[in-house]
Amino acid sequence: MKRLKIKEVLAGGEVGQQVLVKGWVRTKRGSKNVNFIALNDGSTINNLQVVADVEKFGEALLRDINTSAALGITGELVESMGSGQSVELVASEITIYGKSDPEKYPIQPKKHSLEFLRENAHLRFRTATFSAVFRIRHAMAFAIHKYFNDKGFYYLHTPIVTASDAEGAGQMFRVSTLPAIDPPLNEAGEVDYTQDFFGRATNLTVSGQLEGELGATALGEVYTFGPTFRAENSNTTRHLAEFWMIEPEMAFYELKDNMDLAEEFLKYLIKYALENCMDDLKFLSNRLEQEEKNKPQDQRSMELIEKLQFVLENDFVRCTYTEAIEILRNSKPYKKGKFQFPVEWGIDLQSEHERYLVEKHFNKPVILIDYPKDIKAFYMKQNDDGKTVAAMDVLFPQIGEIIGGSERESNYDKLVKRMEEMDVPTDEMWWYLDTRRYGTVPHAGFGLGFERFILFVTGMGNIRDVIAFPRTPKNAEF
Ligand code: 4AD
Ligand code: MG
């Protein structure tokens, strides 16, 4: 008999049908005559209720059926007595693939804290919460490729090992095969990377953008979607040392086109989630509601599905950095000295400032543009005022910055001057500068932090809970 996924059985199974399902036990309840097994195979948040007759299977076999045991079950579908589900399965044959000792299995069928589950990340997929998160993460990855493919963008695989620092922020992980003790030194007494594997100093990429620009200035519109690495010592609920980023890069786009694309893209993904992940979203919405029960009313977040619909239905606010500083300086928390960090033109906005703008002032997603050039990367297009660059950050409620991007400086002389001012090595970046020497065009792009976006869609509160195996300072378990 062909195995059916539980999702198919629950959606289309008919009373009287013989089926074979395979999966893991979520819970088992017993009475004298029958056992009820909730079986889940990862295809859906919903379990299939299996009814096993004690006399038929014998107590010895049923004793081995505990939470997380792996089973194959054949039987007949009958109308479900319980609420919610259309059918349940009356077992005629049970195969135990793998037992799970209930004395030792770490994840009991009860509520565990997210911290505890993080320490057991190898098994947390077996909980309803994490299976929902990772199904949604998959659906969003698929929707990203679909969106760009349907728009005529090409998926470009940019390198993971590079010799450049795309953001110029010096937050790179070194890649080296030189011995850690007594590495070869050059005449200046520094580590001699000419003797290293690549014959030069290399690192894990912080962004695929620079190579993306090479692709865009020939293929027109490209995007990357891959892991990026940052050795920033930020122990927050929004930072990972290894995270996934989606970076579209488009020739002949100016800043406004870039903003329009970012807004359309985010809304497309949210709409896709609402249309394809409703069971999981409903589950996560409930989870969030339970979790926030003890918070005062005004600190609870908007109901998850309502929040997603709200973002879909409203235009993002577009506002310059200079206007944002004005708003902040005129705000109540500023006047009452409630902000921890100072607010004046030229500062890098802190998360408290971003959240005030998004959650209190505008109450909508915000695209902030035209930042001071000194707090942004060397490659951004310089505005005519001589002070700002054509940058854009998209800020989301609860998350803060979800996208960072810009129009790029396409003028060779201006770019070189800025690189020199910011100590970016122009000689090593000859290949990047070639795009401005030969057929330069206005172009723009942005980077969406995949995990920050998944936080928003799932309503989870900690970025460590939306990537399978988080890498953060002092932590690389699994
Ligand atoms: O703003 P960032 O640093 O921009 C870039 O890397 C550009 N090269 C993108 C581009 O224009 N092609 O990073 C982009 C996004 C941020 O908005 C944030 O969502 C996410 O990447 N991000 C992180 N996510 C998790 N952990 C970290 N440590 C992150 N750093 C950035
Ligand atoms: Mg940024």
Side-chain angles (χ1 to χ4, degrees):
M1 200 186 292
K2 186 174 162 276
R3 173 199 175 195
L4 291 183
K5 290 288 185 80
I6 288 173
K7 186 178 178 176
E8 299 170 86
V9 171
L10 292 176
E14 285 173 17
V15 171
Q17 192 184 341
Q18 295 289 319
V19 299
L20 165 63
V21 294
K22 299 181 179 182
W24 294 266
V25 176
R26 279 285 164 80
T27 56
K28 187 185 72 170
R29 288 185 290 120
S31 72
K32 206 159 136 256
N33 302 324
V34 282
N35 278 192
F36 297 99
I37 303 163
L39 196 73
N40 190 284
D41 65 1
S43 62
T44 159
I45 190 85
N46 300 306
N47 302 326
L48 178 64
Q49 162 122 303
V50 178
V51 185
D53 189 273
V54 175
E55 203 178 325
K56 178 175 169 58
F57 293 101
E59 283 184 10
L61 179 121
L62 293 175
R63 245 197 311 276
D64 282 342
I65 297 180
N66 296 297
T67 295
S68 233
L71 308 181
I73 302 176
T74 312
E76 182 177 315
L77 295 180
V78 300
E79 202 173 321
S80 174
M81 297 297 143
S83 63
Q85 241 111 80
S86 51
V87 288
E88 55 191 52
L89 180 63
V90 176
S92 55
E93 255 176 73
I94 299 180
T95 308
I96 300 183
Y97 288 102
K99 299 186 227 174
S100 173
D101 184 346
E103 301 295 315
K104 294 187 181 143
Y105 179 61
I107 301 186
Q108 295 299 316
K110 62 160 198 172
K111 197 172 158 24
H112 287 291
S113 73
L114 294 173
E115 290 76 15
F116 174 83
L117 292 172
R118 227 170 275 148
E119 286 161 17
N120 290 280
H122 59 309
L123 295 170
R124 66 179 175 171
F125 302 108
R126 297 188 190 188
T127 66
T129 297
F130 285 93
S131 68
V133 166
F134 287 102
R135 271 189 300 273
I136 291 175
R137 186 177 162 117
H138 161 79
M140 292 295 90
F142 177 78
I144 286 163
H145 287 300
K146 180 162 166 52
Y147 174 80
F148 285 124
N149 178 68
D150 292 355
K151 268 185 109 72
F153 283 55
Y154 300 110
Y155 182 23
L156 185 69
H157 296 104
T158 52
I160 290 178
V161 177
T162 77
S164 51
D165 177 3
E167 292 303 299
Q171 298 174 321
M172 288 128 22
F173 288 101
R174 173 78 67 221
V175 173
S176 174
T177 55
L178 291 179
I181 297 165
D182 282 339
L185 303 179
N186 61 21
E187 281 169 8
E190 299 156 342
V191 176
D192 183 9
Y193 288 109
T194 63
Q195 295 188 47
D196 204 347
F197 187 91
F198 294 106
R200 63 194 300 177
T202 50
N203 53 271
L204 295 176
T205 188
V206 296
S207 157
Q209 178 195 322
L210 302 188
E211 291 90 352
E213 288 183 53
L214 309 181
T217 51
L219 294 165
E221 288 151 348
V222 301
Y223 69 104
T224 71
F225 185 174
T228 47
F229 307 85
R230 299 204 182 169
E232 55 185 325
N233 199 1
S234 301
N235 244 314
T236 79
T237 55
R238 304 281 174 268
H239 288 88
L240 290 165
E242 175 179 299
F243 64 99
W244 288 65
M245 187 155 47
I246 300 98
E247 295 185 273
E249 190 70 34
M250 299 74 63
F252 308 107
Y253 268 53
E254 295 178 4
L255 187 64
K256 166 145 192 328
D257 310 308
N258 206 23
M259 288 193 273
D260 291 345
L261 184 79
E263 183 167 346
E264 182 189 90
F265 175 50
L266 289 168
K267 286 180 172 172
Y268 176 93
L269 298 180
I270 290 170
K271 184 154 181 274
Y272 189 94
L274 287 168
E275 285 171 359
N276 294 277
C277 309
M278 201 39 113
D279 282 356
D280 288 325
L281 287 174
K282 278 186 185 151
F283 176 85
L284 291 171
S285 163
N286 265 326
R287 190 203 74 85
L288 188 61
E289 215 174 288
Q290 294 300 320
E291 196 182 81
E292 294 195 333
K293 245 188 191 152
N294 299 327
K295 282 190 181 175
Q297 194 81 37
D298 66 328
Q299 280 172 37
R300 291 184 205 164
S301 33
M302 197 190 260
E303 189 276 324
L304 180 62
I305 293 159
E306 199 184 317
K307 178 187 83 177
L308 297 176
Q309 258 143 7
F310 178 83
V311 170
L312 260 194
E313 284 158 15
N314 286 282
D315 288 341
F316 294 6
V317 173
R318 300 177 182 196
C319 165
T320 67
Y321 169 92
T322 304
E323 286 161 356
I325 292 290
E326 276 304 297
I327 293 167
L328 290 168
R329 287 180 71 96
N330 286 319
S331 71
K332 259 197 204 139
Y334 177 79
K335 289 182 174 160
K336 289 187 174 166
K338 289 271 164 65
F339 286 136
Q340 195 189 336
F341 294 91
V343 180
E344 59 199 51
W345 201 94
I347 58 145
D348 208 353
L349 294 179
Q350 300 295 325
S351 135
E352 58 177 357
H353 307 139
E354 295 178 343
R355 293 190 64 164
Y356 174 82
L357 292 169
V358 175
E359 289 162 31
K360 294 280 183 320
H361 185 79
F362 290 117
N363 200 19
K364 268 186 215 171
V366 178
I367 311 182
L368 278 191
I369 59 167
D370 296 339
Y371 281 73
K373 65 178 186 198
D374 291 333
I375 58 170
K376 289 291 181 187
F378 68 91
Y379 51 70
M380 296 193 179
K381 182 185 161 67
Q382 296 155 42
N383 289 329
D384 293 337
D385 61 13
K387 294 192 307 195
T388 62
V389 284
M392 61 170 220
D393 276 8
V394 181
L395 313 180
F396 260 35
Q398 278 133 28
I399 311 291
E401 178 191 339
I402 201 164
I403 278 180
S406 76
E407 186 174 338
R408 316 307 186 190
E409 182 53 71
S410 57
N411 179 289
Y412 176 85
D413 294 324
K414 284 189 182 171
L415 180 59
V416 168
K417 184 159 170 279
R418 191 69 190 137
M419 288 168 81
E420 284 167 351
E421 281 168 8
M422 296 180 81
D423 286 328
V424 179
T426 50
D427 48 342
E428 279 174 30
M429 304 270 275
W430 59 273
W431 48 272
Y432 183 68
L433 289 168
D434 265 4
T435 54
R436 277 63 167 179
R437 284 195 190 98
Y438 310 116
T440 190
V441 287
H443 63 288
F446 61 80
L448 170 66
F450 191 45
E451 286 76 19
R452 290 201 187 165
F453 179 68
I454 300 299
L455 274 180
F456 183 75
V457 176
T458 59
M460 298 297 283
N462 190 318
I463 202 161
R464 292 164 181 80
D465 296 333
V466 296
I467 186 164
F469 303 107
R471 268 71 183 109
T472 50
K474 300 275 179 284
N475 172 47
E477 192 67 55
F478 310 108

